[in-house]
C-alpha cells in the first residue's frame, strides 16, 4: 500500500512537468521551466571544460613543459572520459531511488569536481621548481582527477535529455544545453582577461601560474557547484513506470542489465556513422586546444617564450577568442533550435565546413582582430560538433539502455583525442615544431569530417539483445 502511495505521489509530481503528450512518440512535451532546469547545469560544467581547453596548454608551458610534450598531457582527459562515461551510463540506467535516476551521480560528483578543479592552477605554487618532474606529475594527476569528476557531472545532463525530452523538443533542448554551455565558456575564458583589466597580476615568477588564472579556476569551481545543485533540486525524473510508458517499453526493460559489449551489437547504424564524423571533428578540436595559444604567440606576439608578457597576453587573448567562439555558438544555437528535424545533416555539414575555414585561417593570420572572424566560424563548427551528433543519436534510440548507449557514444569523442595526442609526437616534429601548421592540420581534419556527414544513417536501435 505504501509503495503504491509513493508511486502515486511521484506521478503527481511528474504530471506537473507535463503539458501534453506527443502523439507520435508518446513522450510528453515539457514546459520551458523544466527544460531550463535540465540544461542550466551545463553552464557550470562547461566552465571547467572551457578552462581546461583554453588554459591547460598555457599552464603546462608556464610550469616548464616542452611544447613537443603537450600531447602527452592532453591524452589524460579523453582517457578518463573513455572509461568513466560508459560505466556511468550503464549503472545509472539501473539506478532508481528517491533522488532519481541520473541525479544521484551528479549530487555525488559536483562537490568533488568543484574541489579538484582548483588543483591544476596551483601546479606552480607547490615549490616543485620550473620544469621539474614533480611539477609535471602533480599537474598530470590534477588533470586526471579534474576530468574524471567533470565527466561524472556531465553525463547526467546529457542522459536526462534522452530520458525526458521527446523528438519534437530535442533540437530545442540540445540547443539550450549548448547555449548554457557556451555561456559558461564565455564567463570562464574571459575571467583571466577581466581580472587583468581590474589590475590583478597576469604575470608571475618563472614556473608560477599567474593569479588571474588561479582565480578564474576558483570562481568556476563555485559556479559549477551552484548550477549543478540547481539542476539536482529542480528536476524530477520520471519513475520507472512513467519512463516505460513514455518510451513504449515494458517496465521489465528498465530493470534488465546488459553488458556493454552486447549493447554494441545492437546500436543503430547512426551510432557508427556519426562516430566516423566525430573522429575527424574531435581530432581537430584536440589540436585547437593544444596549439592555439602557441600559434597566437608566434604569429601575433612573435614569441615562443612562455615566461614572456607577450606569451601570457596570447593566453589571455585565446580566452577572449574562446568567449567569442561561445557567443557565436549561442547565436547559431538559437537559430538551429528552430530547424526542422529532417534537415539536421545539412546543418551538421555546414557547421563543420565553417569551422574548418576558421581553423585553417588561424595558421596564417598575423592580425589580432582577424582571429575574431576565424573563431566566429569555428564557433559555428564547435556548436555543431557538440550538439547535432547527440540529437541524431538520441532520435535513433528506443529508450532501452539509453544511458549506456550515450556513454559508449562518448568513446567516439575520446578515441580521436587520444589518437591526435599520440600522433602529435610524430606530426609536430615533422612540421619543424610549428604550432601554426598544427592548426592547419586541424582545419583539414574538419573538412574530412564534413565530407563524412553523407555517410550518416539514422535508424532505431534493435529492441532486444540476443543472449
Amino acid at each position: 500500500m505504501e509503495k503504491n502511495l509513493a508511486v502515486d505521489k511521484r506521478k503527481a509530481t511528474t504530471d506537473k512537468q507535463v503539458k501534453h503528450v506527443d502523439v507520435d512518440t508518446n513522450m510528453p512535451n515539457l514546459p520551458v521551466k523544466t527544460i531550463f532546469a535540465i540544461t542550466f547545469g551545463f553552464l557550470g560544467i562547461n566552465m571547467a571544460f572551457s578552462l581546461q581547453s583554453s588554459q591547460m596548454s598555457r599552464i603546462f608551458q608556464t610550469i616548464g613543459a616542452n611544447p613537443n610534450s603537450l600531447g602527452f598531457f592532453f591524452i589524460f582527459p579523453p582517457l578518463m572520459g573513455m572509461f568513466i562515461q560508459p560505466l556511468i551510463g550503464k549503472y545509472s540506467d539501473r539506478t532508481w531511488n528517491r533522488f532519481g535516476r541520473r541525479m544521484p551521480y551528479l549530487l555525488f560528483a559536483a562537490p568533488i569536481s568543484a574541489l579538484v578543479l582548483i588543483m591544476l592552477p596551483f601546479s606552480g605554487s607547490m615549490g616543485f621548481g620550473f620544469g621539474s618532474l614533480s611539477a609535471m606529475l602533480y599537474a598530470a594527476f590534477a588533470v586526471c582527477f579534474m576530468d574524471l569528476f567533470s565527466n561524472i557531472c556531465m553525463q547526467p545532463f546529457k542522459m536526462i535529455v534522452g530520458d525526458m525530452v521527446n523528438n519534437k523538443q530535442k533540437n530545442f533542448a540540445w540547443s539550450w544545453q549548448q547555449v548554457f554551455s557556451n555561456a559558461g565558456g564565455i564567463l570562464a575564458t574571459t575571467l583571466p582577461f577581466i581580472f587583468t583589466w581590474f589590475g590583478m597580476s597576469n604575470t608571475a615568477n618563472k614556473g608560477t601560474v599567474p593569479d588571474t588564472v588561479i582565480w578564474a579556476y576558483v570562481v568556476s569551481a563555485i559556479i559549477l557547484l551552484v548550477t549543478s545543485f540547481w539542476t539536482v533540486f529542480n528536476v524530477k525524473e520520471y519513475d520507472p513506470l512513467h519512463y516505460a510508458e513514455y518510451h513504449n517499453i515494458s517496465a521489465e526493460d528498465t530493470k534488465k542489465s546488459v553488458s556493454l559489449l552486447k549493447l554494441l551489437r545492437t546500436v543503430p547504424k547512426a551510432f557508427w556513422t556519426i562516430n566516423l564524423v566525430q573522429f575527424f571533428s574531435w581530432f581537430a578540436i584536440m589540436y585547437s586546444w593544444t596549439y592555439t595559444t602557441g600559434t597566437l604567440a608566434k604569429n601575433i606576439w612573435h614569441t615562443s617564450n612562455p615566461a614572456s608578457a607577450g606569451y601570457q597576453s596570447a593566453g589571455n587573448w585565446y580566452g577572449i577568442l574562446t568567449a567569442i567562439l561561445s557567443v557565436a555558438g549561442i547565436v547559431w544555437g538559437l537559430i538551429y533550435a528552430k530547424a526542422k528535424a529532417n534537415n539536421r545533416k545539412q546543418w551538421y555539414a555546414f557547421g563543420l565546413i565553417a569551422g574548418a575555414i576558421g581553423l585553417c585561417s588561424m595558421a596564417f593570420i598575423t592580425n589580432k582582430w582577424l582571429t575574431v572572424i576565424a573563431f566566429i566560424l569555428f564557433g559555428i563548427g564547435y556548436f555543431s560538433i557538440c550538439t547535432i551528433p547527440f540529437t541524431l543519436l538520441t532520435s535513433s534510440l528506443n529508450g532501452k539502455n539509453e544511458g549506456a548507449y550515450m556513454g559508449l557514444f562518448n568513446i567516439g569523442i575520446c578515441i580521436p583525442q587520444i589518437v591526435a595526442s599520440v600522433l602529435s609526437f610524430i606530426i609536430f616534429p615533422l612540421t619543424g615544431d610549428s604550432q601554426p601548421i598544427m592548426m592547419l592540420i586541424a582545419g583539414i581534419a574538419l573538412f574530412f569530417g564534413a565530407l563524412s556527414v553523407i555517410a550518416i544513417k539514422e535508424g532505431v536501435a534493435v529492441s532486444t539483445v540476443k543472449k
Side-chain angles (χ1 to χ4, degrees):
M1 180 68 175
E2 291 180 0
K3 183 177 180 180
N4 290 335
L5 288 174
V7 171
D8 289 341
K9 183 178 180 181
R10 189 63 181 258
K11 181 179 185 298
T13 302
T14 301
D15 288 343
K16 293 178 181 178
Q17 300 184 98
V18 177
K19 283 186 173 179
H20 65 275
V21 173
D22 186 302
V23 294
D24 295 325
T25 63
N26 203 39
M27 286 278 285
N29 279 350
L30 300 176
V32 171
K33 66 177 182 180
T34 301
I35 295 180
F36 174 89
I38 289 173
T39 58
F40 179 59
F42 231 77
L43 185 147
I45 293 298
N46 199 48
M47 289 190 74
F49 283 109
S50 293
L51 284 176
Q52 174 181 290
S53 63
S54 66
Q55 301 297 325
M56 185 171 153
S57 176
R58 174 186 186 179
I59 290 173
F60 272 101
Q61 293 187 69
T62 296
I63 66 176
N66 188 306
N68 195 37
S69 302
L70 289 177
F72 173 76
F73 298 107
F74 275 86
I75 287 175
F76 294 127
L79 273 178
M80 293 295 101
M82 187 171 70
F83 286 109
I84 197 64
Q85 289 172 358
L87 294 177
I88 293 297
K90 174 180 170 61
Y91 290 110
S92 66
D93 278 342
R94 309 290 167 250
T95 300
W96 303 93
N97 59 40
R98 59 178 296 187
F99 295 106
R101 188 187 193 193
R102 316 295 184 185
M103 294 302 108
Y105 294 88
L106 183 57
L107 187 62
F108 159 76
I112 302 176
S113 183
L115 181 63
V116 299
L117 180 59
I118 62 176
M119 288 177 61
L120 181 60
F122 285 100
S123 300
S125 304
M126 299 296 179
F128 296 124
F130 180 78
S132 69
L133 178 61
S134 297
M136 297 301 127
L137 287 175
Y138 174 88
F141 277 111
V143 168
C144 286
F145 282 115
M146 181 178 71
D147 214 74
L148 174 65
F149 287 99
S150 293
N151 271 290
I152 297 175
C153 283
M154 180 180 66
Q155 283 307 96
F157 289 108
K158 290 184 176 180
M159 294 170 186
I160 198 68
V161 175
D163 289 348
M164 298 183 66
V165 182
N166 64 32
N167 191 49
K168 181 181 177 181
Q169 292 183 307
K170 271 190 169 68
N171 278 10
F172 181 68
W174 282 112
S175 295
W176 266 39
Q177 188 173 96
Q178 196 59 30
V179 165
F180 283 124
S181 175
N182 286 356
I186 293 170
L187 181 57
T189 54
T190 55
L191 281 175
F193 185 88
I194 293 170
F195 289 145
T196 301
W197 189 75
F198 276 102
M200 189 178 292
S201 177
N202 191 48
T203 58
N205 295 330
K206 186 177 181 180
T208 304
V209 177
D211 288 343
T212 52
V213 178
I214 292 175
W215 277 101
Y217 274 81
V218 172
V219 171
S220 296
I222 294 171
I223 295 176
L224 183 153
L225 187 62
V226 171
T227 57
S228 295
F229 280 177
W230 177 277
T231 298
V232 168
F233 295 114
N234 286 280
V235 174
K236 303 297 181 183
E237 297 183 73
Y238 301 143
D239 59 72
L241 295 179
H242 277 85
Y243 184 87
E245 176 188 348
Y246 293 150
H247 286 268
N248 295 313
I249 59 177
S250 69
E252 291 300 315
D253 286 326
T254 65
K255 302 176 183 178
K256 293 177 181 177
S257 179
V258 183
S259 74
L260 294 174
L261 288 177
K262 285 186 177 180
L263 288 176
L264 279 174
R265 300 174 191 168
T266 68
V267 295
K269 291 180 180 179
F271 181 94
W272 300 112
T273 51
I274 296 170
N275 268 316
L276 174 63
V277 184
Q278 294 267 72
F279 181 86
F280 293 112
S281 301
W282 287 97
F283 187 100
I285 287 175
M286 174 56 78
Y287 282 175
S288 76
W289 288 343
T290 310
Y291 299 109
T292 296
T293 299
T295 296
L296 291 168
K298 180 70 174 177
N299 285 356
I300 297 174
W301 277 270
H302 310 294
T303 180
S304 299
N305 179 11
S308 67
Y311 187 93
Q312 295 302 326
S313 294
N316 274 9
W317 186 246
Y318 180 31
I320 295 298
L321 290 178
T322 305
I324 290 168
L325 173 150
S326 299
V327 172
I330 289 174
V331 174
W332 196 248
L334 294 173
I335 297 172
Y336 173 74
K338 299 179 181 179
K340 295 180 180 179
N342 59 357
N343 291 331
R344 289 167 181 158
K345 288 173 60 175
Q346 290 91 325
W347 284 80
Y348 198 8
F350 177 85
L352 293 177
I353 292 171
I357 294 171
L359 287 183
C360 286
S361 65
M362 284 294 295
F364 306 103
I365 291 174
T366 57
N367 181 287
K368 183 169 106 170
W369 300 107
L370 289 178
T371 61
V372 172
I373 298 174
F375 261 70
I376 288 174
L377 292 172
F378 185 38
I380 293 172
Y382 193 77
F383 169 86
S384 304
I385 292 167
C386 294
T387 303
I388 301 178
F390 295 99
T391 311
L392 292 168
L393 178 69
T394 54
S395 298
S396 301
L397 297 177
N398 61 7
K400 298 178 185 178
N401 305 295
E402 190 142 337
Y405 280 128
M406 290 289 286
L408 289 169
F409 185 67
N410 276 286
I411 293 178
I413 293 174
C414 300
I415 288 177
Q417 295 179 57
I418 295 170
V419 171
S421 294
V422 172
L423 287 180
S424 70
F425 297 119
I426 300 172
I427 298 173
F428 189 61
L430 291 176
T431 67
D433 294 350
S434 173
Q435 298 193 51
I437 292 180
M438 297 299 283
M439 294 293 287
L440 177 62
I441 292 171
I444 293 172
L446 271 191
F447 274 120
F448 279 109
L451 290 174
S452 301
V453 170
I454 194 173
I456 294 176
K457 304 294 183 184
E458 293 186 72
V460 178
V462 177
S463 60
T464 58
V465 178
K466 295 180 181 180
K467 297 182 180 180

